[in-house]
Amino acid sequence: QLLGLALAEACDCKNDEVMHLLLSCWRGKCTSAQAQPLLRAFAARGDAATVERLLSSGKGAMVQMDAKQRAALASSGLAHTAGEGKARKRVLGTLLQAGADPRGTEGEAALRNAARDGQAESMQLLLSEGTNVNAVDDDGKTVLCVAACSGDTSTVQCLLEHGAQVRMRCHDGREPLDFAVDESVRQLLLAEVEKLRMGLLDELLAE
């Protein structure tokens, strides 16, 4: 337990040398419950190598656990994953490979966070694994609304290509277009709204 506290403190202080020394001492002695805060901390740093060590299996595994416990541990890190570009995508890939559920609330939170941070590569990975493109938060805000707030056209385009509903409203009645802070994002959403309107018009005329 003291070793775990020392590890958490070293992680908070971003003391890599001490962290890796303590991790070596803890090999095979850490439970999945003890590993959760550590995994979340390293996922938040975008440290894929250490996340891989914590989720490793076999004789020299850092954490002694069965497949179900490994999947639960991996899932606990999804919503905390941060970092940029390929580093963030690698962490997410490691968690998913270990059994993290991309369709659960943790996976949806990871998708929202990636949209907020303008990380289209990570979004593409999660969506390809089945994360709900139209997931909503407690306020009813969709991932597309979050992406529109970020002002990043690549994240908005990624969501639209995966079927995000451009007219899906929040609890307060607002829709993604109302969150657009960048003109290029606004134009992208307007074009999608127009395509939807024309599609509905074609259906009415066909009847």
Side-chain angles (χ1 to χ4, degrees), residues 134-136 140 142 145 165-170 174-176:
N134 291 306
V136 297
T142 66
C145 292
Q165 296 180 26
V166 73
R167 298 304 304 270
M168 190 169 172
R169 296 181 180 275
C170 304
R174 290 184 294 171
E175 57 186 60

Side-chain angles (χ1 to χ4, degrees), residues 82-129:
E84 300 289 329
K86 295 188 184 303
R88 186 182 191 134
K89 183 179 178 181
R90 183 182 166 192
V91 171
L92 288 171
T94 299
L95 296 173
L96 293 170
Q97 190 173 14
D101 182 10
R103 296 176 176 83
T105 56
E106 297 287 337
E108 292 176 356
L111 182 62
R112 269 193 301 276
N113 293 342
R116 177 198 64 204
D117 299 338
Q119 299 298 309
E121 284 188 46
S122 292
M123 294 170 64
Q124 183 72 38
L125 173 62
L126 289 163
L127 291 167
S128 69
E129 293 294 327

Side-chain angles (χ1 to χ4, degrees), residues 53-199:
R53 288 181 67 188
L54 288 168
L55 291 170
S56 63
S57 57
K59 187 176 180 180
M62 182 70 63
V63 184
Q64 295 302 311
M65 54 188 167
D66 57 28
K68 185 177 180 180
Q69 290 171 322
R70 179 173 291 103
L73 176 60
S75 290
S76 74
L78 284 175
H80 299 270
T81 302
E84 300 289 329
K86 295 188 184 303
R88 186 182 191 134
K89 183 179 178 181
R90 183 182 166 192
V91 171
L92 288 171
T94 299
L95 296 173
L96 293 170
Q97 190 173 14
D101 182 10
R103 296 176 176 83
T105 56
E106 297 287 337
E108 292 176 356
L111 182 62
R112 269 193 301 276
N113 293 342
R116 177 198 64 204
D117 299 338
Q119 299 298 309
E121 284 188 46
S122 292
M123 294 170 64
Q124 183 72 38
L125 173 62
L126 289 163
L127 291 167
S128 69
E129 293 294 327
T131 306
N132 182 8
V133 71
N134 291 306
V136 297
D137 62 15
D138 292 338
D139 297 320
K141 187 186 293 184
T142 66
V143 183
L144 188 55
C145 292
V146 175
C149 286
S150 77
D152 189 305
T153 55
S154 64
T155 59
V156 173
Q157 186 65 51
C158 175
L159 292 168
L160 292 174
E161 289 174 354
H162 283 82
Q165 296 180 26
V166 73
R167 298 304 304 270
M168 190 169 172
R169 296 181 180 275
C170 304
H171 296 330
D172 61 8
R174 290 184 294 171
E175 57 186 60
L177 190 57
D178 297 315
F179 290 88
V181 296
D182 181 87
E183 184 58 27
S184 58
V185 169
R186 178 177 170 77
Q187 290 302 318
L188 186 58
L189 292 172
L190 278 171
E192 199 67 21
V193 169
E194 181 62 15
K195 282 195 291 185
L196 182 63
R197 188 182 72 81
M198 293 302 295

Side-chain angles (χ1 to χ4, degrees), residues 4 7-8 11 23 26 30 34-43 50-51 54:
L7 256 172
C11 186
L23 280 171
W26 211 6
C30 177
Q34 290 170 322
Q36 273 200 13
L38 296 175
L39 184 90
R40 291 170 180 167
F42 286 114
T50 305
V51 170
L54 288 168

